[in-house]
Structure formats: C-alpha cells, structure tokens
Amino acid sequence: MAINTFARKEIKFLLNMEQYEALMDVISIYMNPDKYCVGGKEYGIYNIYYDTPDDYLIRTSLAKPYYKEKIRLRSYYSPAAPDDTVFLEIKKKIGGIVTKRRVSMTLEESDRYFADRSKPESSKYITQQVFRELDVFLSNYPIEPKQYISYQREAFFGKDNSDFRLTFDRKITERRFDLSLGNESYGNYIIGADQRLMEIKVSDAMPDWLVRKLSELGIYKTSFSKYGMAYQNFVKENIGDHKQIYVSGISIINNNILMNRSV
C-alpha cells in the first residue's frame, strides 16, 4: 500500500484553444511530460467526491473560507475492477496552500473501509496516521457519495525543478448519479470542447519564462473548482425559473449563485 503527501499552491487558468496551442509551443523547452503521459499521450482521472446529505462541504468550499477540506476516491482506470488500486484522498486548503494526503487500496477494500472502517494491513506509521486522520474526518461528517468527476489530463514537470508541475484537463465530465468508480465514465461536460483547464502546481514562485508567456498570451488566473462548478450547475438546474431563492445555504439572485458564509 502506497501513500503520498503534497503541500503546494495550485493556480488555475481557463484557456481557449489558441492560448493552449501557443503555450504548448514553449512547454517542451522547459518541461518534460509526466511519466504517466506515455508517448506524450494524456491519461484519465476518475473521482467520486463525498459530502454530507445537505452538501455542507462543497457549500462551505464555495464560500471561499480561509480553511476548507474535502475527501474523494480516485482511480486511473474506468471502469475500475474490484481489485484495481484506488486512492482515498483528503485535501485541505489553508490560506492558499493546498495539502493532500492519500492512501492506496483496492476498490473492494475502499468499499469495506467506508462501510465499517475496516483498513488494509499496513505496518507503516505514516499510513496509519493518515487513516487516523481519515477516521476523524468521517466521524465529523456523515458523508456519502455525492458527485462523479472525470477528465483527461496532460501533465508536465519542470526540467530544472521536478516539484513544479503543470497540467491541462479537458473533457471534464460530471454526474450526480450512478456513483461508483466501477461504472463507465459518462455524464455532462462542464467546460467547452475548445477549452482547457490549466493548473500550475508549485511550492514557491512560478518561473519567469511562464510568467512572461502568460502575460503575452493574455492568460489570467481564475477561481475554478470542478466539483464546485458541477454543484452550481446542479443547483441552477433545480431552481427552475425562480429569480430569487434560498436553499441549503445558497442565495440565487437573477441566476447568480451566492454562498452564505454563515451556514
């Protein structure tokens, strides 16, 4: 069983195809493809996000607090078989710094863990520590599967700094039913076919060459959460033609969603 821990800044940008293609022209000069991009090809990422029955975690996240957290189950196979490896991740953002801790297990083992907290055998202290953290999280929140998100990803890391990563996601797909990684990837797209969601993942400052290129191409950072966008689309679809409504901590005024921080 493997474990990974990350602490970094994650900066997001939504690119059109012209910006994406122009940026890709210089990526190869400064970066190498991720090892999972075999032959320069993209790979799939498939997630189940867990939340409370009233969607407390995503509502809190959309309110942009100083501290927020979420939990998800991730696979790199679709559909995943019961004995395929999946990753249970707890992700926190504190003042702009993202930390991610995860443990790996089979899909079948993850079902047992969520059912009765049965854990795979491991003698590693850090693995046991993360499971304790997960146990506390699940004790605090009565979670259940709430959202499926998948996408195709191209990933790169810096030639001079392997901690510097850059990813491009497309075909970001969501659904709020049939919530199992054992099912095929399908659903609604939440960005256009001519768009790419770019994420810069870095522990310190962005390299100068990238700052210059982003400025040249008119690429500016944005606030974008895949789960958040999927949830907001779900809310909009369920309010009909109401111009103002309050539900589960959300104010919707003239079709604009406002999160209520007091919830």
Side-chain angles (χ1 to χ4, degrees):
M1 184 164 56
I3 178 169
N4 292 292
T5 301
F6 306 96
R8 63 198 179 193
K9 291 181 286 187
E10 295 183 352
I11 310 167
K12 300 180 182 180
F13 306 80
L14 193 60
L15 281 58
N16 59 39
M17 285 304 295
E18 183 178 352
Q19 292 169 323
Y20 164 73
E21 290 170 356
L23 188 56
M24 288 297 290
D25 286 341
V26 300
I27 289 294
S28 61
I29 300 173
Y30 300 97
M31 307 191 78
N32 289 321
D34 186 277
K35 64 180 180 179
Y36 297 109
C37 294
V38 180
K41 297 181 180 179
E42 61 192 10
Y43 58 93
I45 299 178
Y46 312 93
N47 306 280
I48 299 293
Y49 285 83
Y50 292 78
D51 212 326
T52 64
D54 64 351
D55 302 308
Y56 174 81
L57 294 174
I58 189 58
R59 290 190 288 106
T60 300
S61 177
L62 288 170
K64 301 186 184 304
Y66 182 78
Y67 171 83
K68 58 185 178 181
E69 56 189 346
K70 60 185 174 184
I71 187 171
R72 68 189 175 200
L73 189 66
R74 169 168 290 186
S75 174
Y76 296 96
Y77 302 96
S78 180
D83 59 350
D84 280 337
T85 299
V86 297
F87 299 88
L88 183 57
E89 303 179 342
I90 183 167
K91 192 172 183 180
K92 302 180 181 183
K93 189 172 184 180
I94 307 171
I97 302 299
V98 176
T99 64
K100 183 171 72 174
R101 293 158 68 80
R102 69 182 189 176
V103 291
S104 66
M105 62 191 85
T106 67
L107 181 60
E108 185 175 42
E109 287 170 336
S110 74
D111 290 338
R112 288 199 294 269
Y113 175 67
F114 279 113
D116 59 15
R117 304 295 183 269
S118 298
K119 303 174 181 66
E121 290 291 334
S122 176
S123 60
K124 294 181 179 179
Y125 171 79
I126 188 64
T127 298
Q128 297 170 358
Q129 176 60 33
V130 175
F131 267 119
R132 282 193 288 270
E133 188 175 344
L134 287 164
D135 286 346
V136 170
F137 186 100
L138 298 180
S139 296
N140 290 336
Y141 301 107
I143 63 167
E144 59 191 37
K146 296 302 291 282
Q147 182 73 58
Y148 177 90
I149 299 281
S150 70
Y151 39 94
Q152 297 296 305
R153 168 166 286 181
E154 292 177 282
F156 303 86
F157 64 92
K159 290 181 177 180
D160 298 327
N161 178 8
S162 60
D163 288 335
F164 166 52
R165 297 189 71 241
L166 191 154
T167 62
F168 297 96
D169 296 338
R170 71 179 186 93
K171 294 182 69 174
I172 304 175
T173 304
E174 65 85 14
R175 64 176 187 260
R176 288 181 67 87
F177 53 89
D178 210 7
L179 298 176
S180 170
L181 293 177
N183 297 326
E184 295 279 357
S185 176
Y186 70 93
N188 299 316
Y189 291 159
I190 59 177
I191 63 172
D194 60 345
Q195 293 178 306
R196 297 291 185 273
L197 179 64
M198 180 176 76
E199 284 190 57
I200 294 171
K201 308 166 193 289
V202 64
S203 57
D204 44 34
M206 284 191 289
D208 291 342
W209 68 265
L210 182 56
V211 173
R212 290 194 300 269
K213 197 63 179 179
L214 295 180
S215 177
E216 175 189 324
L217 296 174
I219 299 173
Y220 305 104
K221 68 179 181 179
T222 186
S223 176
F224 191 102
S225 161
K226 298 181 184 76
Y227 181 17
M229 182 64 69
Y231 179 68
Q232 290 180 85
N233 289 343
F234 163 74
V235 171
K236 288 179 180 180
E237 290 170 2
N238 283 273
I239 64 170
D241 295 325
H242 294 291
K243 296 299 181 183
Q244 182 167 335
I245 190 170
Y246 181 90
V247 59
S248 296
I250 301 174
S251 296
I252 304 180
I253 302 175
N254 294 328
N255 208 36
N256 292 317
I257 294 180
L258 302 175
M259 306 309 299
N260 295 282
R261 294 176 182 269
S262 61
V263 175

